[in-house]
Amino acid sequence: MVLALLLPLFCLLHLYVGQIPISFSDYWSSFSNFDATSSNHIIAREIRIPRLFMALIAGAGLSIVGLLMQTLFNNPLAGPYVLGINSGSSLFVALSIMTGIPFFASELGLITNALLGAFLFGLLILFFSRLVKTQISLLLIGLMLGSFISAFVAFLQSASNAQELKVFTLWALGSLQKVEFSQLPIIIGITIVGILGAFLLVKPLNALVLGENESKLLGVNIKTTRLWIIVITAILTGLVTAFCGPIAFVGLAVPNLVRILFRTQQHFILISASALLGAIFILLCDVIIQLTEPFFMLPINVLTSIIGAPMVIFFILNRLR
Amino acid sequence: MIRTKNLHIGYAKELLAVDDLSLDKGELYFLIGRNGSGKSTFLKTLIGETPPINGEVLLNGNHISHLTYKEIPKTVAFVTTHFPLTDYLTAEEYVRLARTPYTGHFGRTSSKDQDLIDQAFDILNIQDLKQRFTSELSDGEKQMVSIAKAIAQETAIIILDEPTAFLDYTNKQRVVDLLKNISKTMGKCIIMSSHDIDMSIAAECPFLAVNSIEKKIRQVLSPTSKEEIINLAFKE
């Protein structure tokens, strides 16, 4: 409840703190009565609003995905990162920037490549999940894939020139500012589909808390559930990674925080709270980024860990006491 | 309740041949045998997790291979040896999951479901455990909550794998007495595996003995002496 009230507050704060002050009436009129010659209107529509929505989508999407992975693998360390799905995106982006292979370097651009990478690696994990019997094996395969790809990407980086390296590094640092207003409807649409999909899985997720075997004994169709979880993961991770770069940490930290704060295993609550807290967390990070923009450039990926890691450690210590 | 015909069980290789069994409601059966003799495999065959090599298992008159994965949990409840280790899962939420086979797409429990859950806690007289986290329960309490979950699953058959393995003497007695009581008063067919000979004799229940030399499972109707059980199931 508190989270649901906090979210709109943080949204307003987020819109308010940009370098160029824009009044809320400007925001309103940029929609109701858009004036292409007004710089305030352009900033509001093309920069601030997309940035706000990307913060919400990245936070909510990655947190839900992290929660789904953690429940599926019965492991609080799981997340899209661990499964190598982010790495898939990184690999395709690295290929597109640094190799000059025509297929990757086409006008499709960074975003399509990242999305494609996430989907392919989601499918790859799905394929492995049919071969191996236990989730631990799958988790290990994900980790191995991830480190294999990281090594490959590092190799590409060492072989590329300064300009290419810069482009890739900037993407990898993460940013909420790569989306245009016209792209928003489709991005929001896909996100809503992904989140609704997660809510449709509430019942099998609740049973999965007992582990795969026990939930099978309660009549849960494990294979179908697994498939849907991985599909949702690929969609949300691919989308966020494509537009914002590989944002680490949120997917791992937020669901753990939510469990500590809410002390429940009911997934309706966990999914709702993860989405809200994730969105608030990214908004908070981005507010700080905007406030410090006049002085230095803080990449989102750096800030999530700088704020998030101590926060999680604090909560874990508090809980153990 | 449970019938088997010409049943042979195992995985790739045959492990045991099972006498044609006829297990009735209102009874608690002890499945006894040495460690590694195939008790768990037999139980897993009865719940449809391990397909038989040969022969038939009938649960409540239905051929087990004809029951879907959604129907089996409405017929038989299984209590595993490993209590799930999860943070922030209260005993009540844990028992509530037993209603999973009956609830709709979103898993909402009705007031009838809630009544059955409350009833399960009442029968075992463990209402005080409801709001406790399962990760903080003692071994004896965990076993009680597991049994409550099996009762809330509302099945004609309950199967328990080594439910007394980690318990002290008092708790062992308590669990066996309770199971016996539940089988009588609720008319359920209950099977529990064990390798505790003394406890099994004291319970005065019918046996299923795994003989690992002849590689057979036999039904022994009347309670027997310790020597006889050793001969049947524990001979080197």
mmCIF file of all heavy atoms in Angstrom, chain B residues 29-33 38-40 42-43 46 160-162 191-195 200 206-210 217-218:
data_model
loop_
_atom_site.group_PDB
_atom_site.id
_atom_site.type_symbol
_atom_site.label_atom_id
_atom_site.label_comp_id
_atom_site.label_asym_id
_atom_site.label_seq_id
_atom_site.Cartn_x
_atom_site.Cartn_y
_atom_site.Cartn_z
ATOM 1 N N TYR B 29 -0.907 -48.771 7.203
ATOM 2 C CA TYR B 29 0.015 -49.840 6.831
ATOM 3 C C TYR B 29 1.447 -49.385 7.057
ATOM 4 O O TYR B 29 1.814 -48.260 6.714
ATOM 5 C CB TYR B 29 -0.171 -50.223 5.363
ATOM 6 C CG TYR B 29 -1.508 -50.838 5.059
ATOM 7 C CD1 TYR B 29 -2.589 -50.032 4.718
ATOM 8 C CD2 TYR B 29 -1.691 -52.224 5.111
ATOM 9 C CE1 TYR B 29 -3.821 -50.589 4.439
ATOM 10 C CE2 TYR B 29 -2.932 -52.787 4.836
ATOM 11 C CZ TYR B 29 -3.990 -51.966 4.500
ATOM 12 O OH TYR B 29 -5.209 -52.512 4.235
ATOM 13 N N PHE B 30 2.237 -50.294 7.600
ATOM 14 C CA PHE B 30 3.670 -50.027 7.758
ATOM 15 C C PHE B 30 4.430 -50.681 6.627
ATOM 16 O O PHE B 30 4.355 -51.894 6.451
ATOM 17 C CB PHE B 30 4.165 -50.604 9.088
ATOM 18 C CG PHE B 30 4.073 -49.647 10.221
ATOM 19 C CD1 PHE B 30 2.870 -49.455 10.879
ATOM 20 C CD2 PHE B 30 5.186 -48.922 10.626
ATOM 21 C CE1 PHE B 30 2.780 -48.550 11.924
ATOM 22 C CE2 PHE B 30 5.104 -48.025 11.674
ATOM 23 C CZ PHE B 30 3.904 -47.836 12.329
ATOM 24 N N LEU B 31 5.169 -49.885 5.878
ATOM 25 C CA LEU B 31 6.050 -50.459 4.870
ATOM 26 C C LEU B 31 7.430 -50.536 5.497
ATOM 27 O O LEU B 31 8.051 -49.507 5.778
ATOM 28 C CB LEU B 31 6.071 -49.570 3.626
ATOM 29 C CG LEU B 31 7.067 -49.955 2.527
ATOM 30 C CD1 LEU B 31 6.686 -51.291 1.905
ATOM 31 C CD2 LEU B 31 7.139 -48.875 1.464
ATOM 32 N N ILE B 32 7.886 -51.762 5.770
ATOM 33 C CA ILE B 32 9.186 -51.858 6.442
ATOM 34 C C ILE B 32 10.199 -52.561 5.554
ATOM 35 O O ILE B 32 9.864 -53.402 4.731
ATOM 36 C CB ILE B 32 9.085 -52.591 7.797
ATOM 37 C CG1 ILE B 32 8.397 -53.934 7.612
ATOM 38 C CG2 ILE B 32 8.378 -51.745 8.827
ATOM 39 C CD1 ILE B 32 8.693 -54.866 8.742
ATOM 40 N N GLY B 33 11.435 -52.189 5.740
ATOM 41 C CA GLY B 33 12.507 -52.773 4.953
ATOM 42 C C GLY B 33 13.804 -52.062 5.256
ATOM 43 O O GLY B 33 13.809 -51.000 5.882
ATOM 44 N N GLY B 38 14.326 -50.309 -1.489
ATOM 45 C CA GLY B 38 13.354 -49.985 -2.553
ATOM 46 C C GLY B 38 12.027 -49.485 -2.008
ATOM 47 O O GLY B 38 11.045 -49.418 -2.738
ATOM 48 N N LYS B 39 11.994 -49.115 -0.716
ATOM 49 C CA LYS B 39 10.746 -48.611 -0.125
ATOM 50 C C LYS B 39 10.277 -47.350 -0.857
ATOM 51 O O LYS B 39 9.118 -47.245 -1.242
ATOM 52 C CB LYS B 39 10.950 -48.267 1.365
ATOM 53 C CG LYS B 39 11.258 -49.456 2.252
ATOM 54 C CD LYS B 39 11.136 -49.105 3.726
ATOM 55 C CE LYS B 39 12.146 -48.065 4.196
ATOM 56 N NZ LYS B 39 13.516 -48.604 4.354
ATOM 57 N N SER B 40 11.213 -46.425 -1.037
ATOM 58 C CA SER B 40 10.833 -45.158 -1.674
ATOM 59 C C SER B 40 10.388 -45.383 -3.109
ATOM 60 O O SER B 40 9.436 -44.739 -3.576
ATOM 61 C CB SER B 40 12.006 -44.176 -1.654
ATOM 62 O OG SER B 40 12.271 -43.795 -0.338
ATOM 63 N N PHE B 42 8.926 -47.983 -4.293
ATOM 64 C CA PHE B 42 7.561 -48.526 -4.239
ATOM 65 C C PHE B 42 6.555 -47.400 -4.014
ATOM 66 O O PHE B 42 5.537 -47.317 -4.705
ATOM 67 C CB PHE B 42 7.486 -49.574 -3.124
ATOM 68 C CG PHE B 42 6.100 -50.115 -2.897
ATOM 69 C CD1 PHE B 42 5.420 -50.784 -3.911
ATOM 70 C CD2 PHE B 42 5.476 -49.957 -1.663
ATOM 71 C CE1 PHE B 42 4.144 -51.281 -3.700
ATOM 72 C CE2 PHE B 42 4.199 -50.447 -1.446
ATOM 73 C CZ PHE B 42 3.531 -51.112 -2.478
ATOM 74 N N LEU B 43 6.865 -46.519 -3.061
ATOM 75 C CA LEU B 43 5.947 -45.415 -2.773
ATOM 76 C C LEU B 43 5.804 -44.495 -3.990
ATOM 77 O O LEU B 43 4.716 -44.034 -4.310
ATOM 78 C CB LEU B 43 6.434 -44.624 -1.556
ATOM 79 C CG LEU B 43 6.460 -45.398 -0.237
ATOM 80 C CD1 LEU B 43 6.896 -44.497 0.912
ATOM 81 C CD2 LEU B 43 5.103 -46.018 0.067
ATOM 82 N N LEU B 46 3.459 -45.863 -6.386
ATOM 83 C CA LEU B 46 2.058 -45.722 -5.979
ATOM 84 C C LEU B 46 1.498 -44.320 -6.253
ATOM 85 O O LEU B 46 0.290 -44.152 -6.377
ATOM 86 C CB LEU B 46 1.892 -46.031 -4.484
ATOM 87 C CG LEU B 46 2.125 -47.466 -4.034
ATOM 88 C CD1 LEU B 46 1.768 -47.608 -2.562
ATOM 89 C CD2 LEU B 46 1.305 -48.451 -4.862
ATOM 90 N N LEU B 160 3.289 -41.665 3.337
ATOM 91 C CA LEU B 160 4.342 -40.904 4.007
ATOM 92 C C LEU B 160 5.660 -41.663 3.934
ATOM 93 O O LEU B 160 5.740 -42.839 4.286
ATOM 94 C CB LEU B 160 3.990 -40.655 5.481
ATOM 95 C CG LEU B 160 2.633 -40.019 5.782
ATOM 96 C CD1 LEU B 160 1.617 -41.103 6.100
ATOM 97 C CD2 LEU B 160 2.739 -39.046 6.944
ATOM 98 N N ASP B 161 6.701 -40.966 3.450
ATOM 99 C CA ASP B 161 8.022 -41.575 3.345
ATOM 100 C C ASP B 161 8.800 -41.267 4.626
ATOM 101 O O ASP B 161 9.155 -40.115 4.875
ATOM 102 C CB ASP B 161 8.739 -41.031 2.107
ATOM 103 C CG ASP B 161 9.919 -41.895 1.707
ATOM 104 O OD1 ASP B 161 10.146 -42.929 2.373
ATOM 105 O OD2 ASP B 161 10.604 -41.548 0.730
ATOM 106 N N GLU B 162 9.058 -42.289 5.436
ATOM 107 C CA GLU B 162 9.836 -42.155 6.671
ATOM 108 C C GLU B 162 9.407 -40.960 7.535
ATOM 109 O O GLU B 162 10.238 -40.110 7.872
ATOM 110 C CB GLU B 162 11.332 -41.984 6.337
ATOM 111 C CG GLU B 162 11.925 -43.105 5.507
ATOM 112 C CD GLU B 162 12.427 -44.258 6.348
ATOM 113 O OE1 GLU B 162 12.247 -44.208 7.590
ATOM 114 O OE2 GLU B 162 12.979 -45.218 5.779
ATOM 115 N N ILE B 191 -0.289 -45.248 4.203
ATOM 116 C CA ILE B 191 0.904 -46.095 4.192
ATOM 117 C C ILE B 191 2.072 -45.252 4.670
ATOM 118 O O ILE B 191 2.257 -44.124 4.202
ATOM 119 C CB ILE B 191 1.241 -46.601 2.771
ATOM 120 C CG1 ILE B 191 0.059 -47.364 2.184
ATOM 121 C CG2 ILE B 191 2.478 -47.492 2.799
ATOM 122 C CD1 ILE B 191 0.295 -47.798 0.752
ATOM 123 N N MET B 192 2.827 -45.767 5.644
ATOM 124 C CA MET B 192 4.055 -45.066 6.029
ATOM 125 C C MET B 192 5.223 -46.027 5.995
ATOM 126 O O MET B 192 5.116 -47.185 6.382
ATOM 127 C CB MET B 192 3.920 -44.415 7.408
ATOM 128 C CG MET B 192 3.737 -45.355 8.573
ATOM 129 S SD MET B 192 3.914 -44.504 10.167
ATOM 130 C CE MET B 192 5.701 -44.503 10.368
ATOM 131 N N SER B 193 6.355 -45.545 5.467
ATOM 132 C CA SER B 193 7.529 -46.414 5.449
ATOM 133 C C SER B 193 8.355 -46.149 6.692
ATOM 134 O O SER B 193 8.311 -45.069 7.277
ATOM 135 C CB SER B 193 8.355 -46.154 4.190
ATOM 136 O OG SER B 193 8.849 -44.844 4.198
ATOM 137 N N SER B 194 9.092 -47.186 7.100
ATOM 138 C CA SER B 194 9.912 -47.053 8.300
ATOM 139 C C SER B 194 10.922 -48.191 8.337
ATOM 140 O O SER B 194 10.727 -49.232 7.714
ATOM 141 C CB SER B 194 9.022 -47.116 9.542
ATOM 142 O OG SER B 194 9.821 -47.192 10.696
ATOM 143 N N HIS B 195 12.024 -47.985 9.062
ATOM 144 C CA HIS B 195 12.897 -49.130 9.308
ATOM 145 C C HIS B 195 13.031 -49.359 10.813
ATOM 146 O O HIS B 195 13.943 -50.020 11.285
ATOM 147 C CB HIS B 195 14.261 -48.961 8.633
ATOM 148 C CG HIS B 195 14.895 -47.636 8.925
ATOM 149 N ND1 HIS B 195 15.068 -46.679 7.963
ATOM 150 C CD2 HIS B 195 15.359 -47.112 10.064
ATOM 151 C CE1 HIS B 195 15.621 -45.615 8.504
ATOM 152 N NE2 HIS B 195 15.810 -45.847 9.778
ATOM 153 N N SER B 200 7.210 -50.303 14.877
ATOM 154 C CA SER B 200 6.234 -50.914 13.984
ATOM 155 C C SER B 200 5.431 -51.996 14.703
ATOM 156 O O SER B 200 4.220 -52.103 14.520
ATOM 157 C CB SER B 200 6.933 -51.537 12.770
ATOM 158 O OG SER B 200 7.875 -50.640 12.238
ATOM 159 N N PRO B 206 -1.093 -53.643 10.212
ATOM 160 C CA PRO B 206 -0.644 -54.554 9.164
ATOM 161 C C PRO B 206 0.641 -54.062 8.499
ATOM 162 O O PRO B 206 0.919 -52.861 8.487
ATOM 163 C CB PRO B 206 -1.809 -54.560 8.173
ATOM 164 C CG PRO B 206 -2.651 -53.404 8.508
ATOM 165 C CD PRO B 206 -2.417 -53.077 9.947
ATOM 166 N N PHE B 207 1.367 -55.004 7.957
ATOM 167 C CA PHE B 207 2.671 -54.685 7.372
ATOM 168 C C PHE B 207 2.736 -54.922 5.882
ATOM 169 O O PHE B 207 2.028 -55.760 5.341
ATOM 170 C CB PHE B 207 3.727 -55.619 7.964
ATOM 171 C CG PHE B 207 4.121 -55.278 9.345
ATOM 172 C CD1 PHE B 207 3.518 -55.902 10.427
ATOM 173 C CD2 PHE B 207 5.105 -54.347 9.554
ATOM 174 C CE1 PHE B 207 3.900 -55.584 11.710
ATOM 175 C CE2 PHE B 207 5.489 -54.039 10.844
ATOM 176 C CZ PHE B 207 4.879 -54.654 11.921
ATOM 177 N N LEU B 208 3.627 -54.174 5.262
ATOM 178 C CA LEU B 208 4.115 -54.541 3.947
ATOM 179 C C LEU B 208 5.613 -54.698 4.138
ATOM 180 O O LEU B 208 6.293 -53.751 4.505
ATOM 181 C CB LEU B 208 3.825 -53.440 2.920
ATOM 182 C CG LEU B 208 2.348 -53.064 2.753
ATOM 183 C CD1 LEU B 208 2.221 -51.796 1.936
ATOM 184 C CD2 LEU B 208 1.604 -54.198 2.088
ATOM 185 N N ALA B 209 6.135 -55.904 3.918
ATOM 186 C CA ALA B 209 7.543 -56.141 4.196
ATOM 187 C C ALA B 209 8.332 -56.269 2.904
ATOM 188 O O ALA B 209 7.958 -57.015 2.011
ATOM 189 C CB ALA B 209 7.689 -57.404 5.032
ATOM 190 N N VAL B 210 9.416 -55.488 2.821
ATOM 191 C CA VAL B 210 10.300 -55.589 1.662
ATOM 192 C C VAL B 210 11.388 -56.598 1.992
ATOM 193 O O VAL B 210 12.195 -56.379 2.890
ATOM 194 C CB VAL B 210 10.957 -54.231 1.323
ATOM 195 C CG1 VAL B 210 11.809 -54.352 0.063
ATOM 196 C CG2 VAL B 210 9.918 -53.149 1.168
ATOM 197 N N ILE B 217 7.934 -57.717 -2.249
ATOM 198 C CA ILE B 217 7.168 -57.027 -1.219
ATOM 199 C C ILE B 217 5.958 -57.889 -0.879
ATOM 200 O O ILE B 217 5.216 -58.310 -1.761
ATOM 201 C CB ILE B 217 6.686 -55.633 -1.688
ATOM 202 C CG1 ILE B 217 7.882 -54.720 -1.931
ATOM 203 C CG2 ILE B 217 5.763 -55.009 -0.642
ATOM 204 C CD1 ILE B 217 7.516 -53.295 -2.306
ATOM 205 N N ARG B 218 5.819 -58.220 0.428
ATOM 206 C CA ARG B 218 4.723 -59.081 0.877
ATOM 207 C C ARG B 218 3.824 -58.340 1.839
ATOM 208 O O ARG B 218 4.275 -57.505 2.616
ATOM 209 C CB ARG B 218 5.303 -60.268 1.649
ATOM 210 C CG ARG B 218 5.846 -61.326 0.777
ATOM 211 C CD ARG B 218 5.464 -62.692 1.319
ATOM 212 N NE ARG B 218 5.999 -63.681 0.413
ATOM 213 C CZ ARG B 218 7.265 -64.071 0.468
ATOM 214 N NH1 ARG B 218 8.055 -63.633 1.409
ATOM 215 N NH2 ARG B 218 7.715 -64.925 -0.420
#
